[in-house]
Amino acid sequence: QTLEVAYGMDGMSADKADPSTGFNVSNKHQSLSYNKWADMDIVDSDDEKQAEKQPLIHKSKMQVERDNEMYEKYKLYFKQHLKGLYPLARRKLLARFIAVQHSGQEQTNVFRYSDIIGIVTQRREDLLDHECIKMLCELHKKMLNSVPTELAQTQSGAVYEDAEAVQEALNTLWAIHKHGPVTSLFEQLCRPTMSDKARELYERYAKREFAKLAMMRDIFGEDQVDKLDEENERAKKRKPDTRLCGIDRTLLTLFAFVCFVLIPITIWLYRFTSRNLPKESLRVPASLQALIFGFPFMGKGSATSPNPA
């Protein structure tokens, strides 16, 4: 028997899987299915009753309820701030995306990769439309602008916390735009130690730099921000010149250190310590002088000095 993760497998009942982990013991391989996302609530009406939706994978009942609560909450936020500006089906889709990618108390939403990959794979053309990026930016801005002045100064309150989830969804969606496909992106995010590129990508993702970049595009214009982003990327790839006149700068620095720091200090220490020593102890042996200079030292007591007799 093999241990397999059941991602919405057809024919699997809830009593065969651990509700908290979603693992199932199966005798044969079953194919991955995203069919459950095909029945998402996309009716273009504000008054219809919502049917209970099945998640992509068999999650715990608490997680499913939490996702559904968030979906209803953000559906109301979209209705409050963007009703009449964008189609209801698009607003509901983004409300669902915000709910299934929310990180909760974790640092990032990488652990929700199965839900994120599932919904993006099923609704790729809709979610990767640039209109969705614009909608998330507008919703985030309108939510913060609706906060009373006294709470805005301290950046506290329920609306600020809810706006964090919108920024998180914007960060995820724009990261998919820049580093898609979604499966390749989360393969690197789930294994940041696999390469330096994956580690850098994870750090940018965790800091929500993709959300900040998307907001800058919305405020200052796409062309201006894209041009600045391309210049930054070229600057990172460009290797700095470490040579001067054909000589490595590190070697030049080491040579300067020896000449102007190490040698002067050695000479000063020698002169300082030699003051209290007898002169005879300071005389260089003839054998050493012969080794250094290539000839015997012509002085008193040397092998070549004239006989005093």
Side-chain angles (χ1 to χ4, degrees), residues 112-127:
R112 302 294 304 266
Y113 69 91
S114 57
D115 283 330
I116 298 172
I117 292 175
I119 191 173
V120 172
T121 302
Q122 184 68 30
R123 307 300 301 277
R124 182 179 182 278
E125 293 185 1
D126 295 324
L127 283 172

Side-chain angles (χ1 to χ4, degrees), residues 97 115 166 168 240 244 254 256 279 287 306:
F97 181 75
D115 283 330
V166 178
E168 188 176 37
L244 180 64
L254 182 61
K279 294 183 178 180
S287 58

Side-chain angles (χ1 to χ4, degrees), residues 89-157:
R90 184 64 58 87
R91 302 195 323 252
K92 288 183 177 180
L93 176 60
L94 285 178
R96 176 65 69 182
F97 181 75
I98 293 173
V100 301
Q101 63 81 47
H102 184 44
S103 62
Q105 302 299 323
E106 301 296 328
Q107 182 179 5
T108 70
N109 62 1
V110 172
F111 73 99
R112 302 294 304 266
Y113 69 91
S114 57
D115 283 330
I116 298 172
I117 292 175
I119 191 173
V120 172
T121 302
Q122 184 68 30
R123 307 300 301 277
R124 182 179 182 278
E125 293 185 1
D126 295 324
L127 283 172
L128 296 187
D129 192 328
H130 282 274
E131 186 180 71
C132 289
I133 299 294
K134 186 174 181 62
M135 289 176 64
L136 290 174
C137 290
E138 289 188 20
L139 178 63
H140 185 267
K141 180 170 58 177
K142 290 181 180 293
M143 288 176 67
L144 295 184
N145 290 340
S146 66
V147 177
T149 305
E150 57 273 12
L151 293 178
Q153 294 177 352
T154 59
Q155 296 187 356
S156 60

Side-chain angles (χ1 to χ4, degrees), residues 17-85:
D18 186 348
S20 61
T21 62
F23 286 94
N24 176 44
V25 177
S26 175
N27 291 326
K28 61 180 181 178
H29 176 72
Q30 302 183 46
S31 60
L32 185 64
S33 173
Y34 298 111
N35 293 332
K36 293 180 180 178
W37 286 104
D39 298 326
M40 285 184 57
D41 178 21
I42 57 174
V43 180
D44 202 6
S45 172
D46 282 325
D47 301 323
E48 82 289 356
K49 295 182 179 180
Q50 304 298 324
E52 184 177 355
K53 301 299 181 299
Q54 295 295 327
L56 177 64
I57 62 174
H58 288 270
K59 299 176 290 188
S60 66
K61 183 178 179 181
M62 182 180 298
Q63 183 64 60
V64 174
E65 292 176 352
R66 202 154 38 217
D67 288 351
N68 289 334
E69 289 176 2
M70 286 198 67
Y71 166 67
E72 295 295 337
K73 176 193 293 187
Y74 286 94
K75 192 173 67 171
L76 291 177
Y77 272 125
F78 275 108
K79 181 179 179 180
Q80 177 184 352
H81 296 293
L82 300 180
K83 182 180 180 181
L85 300 177

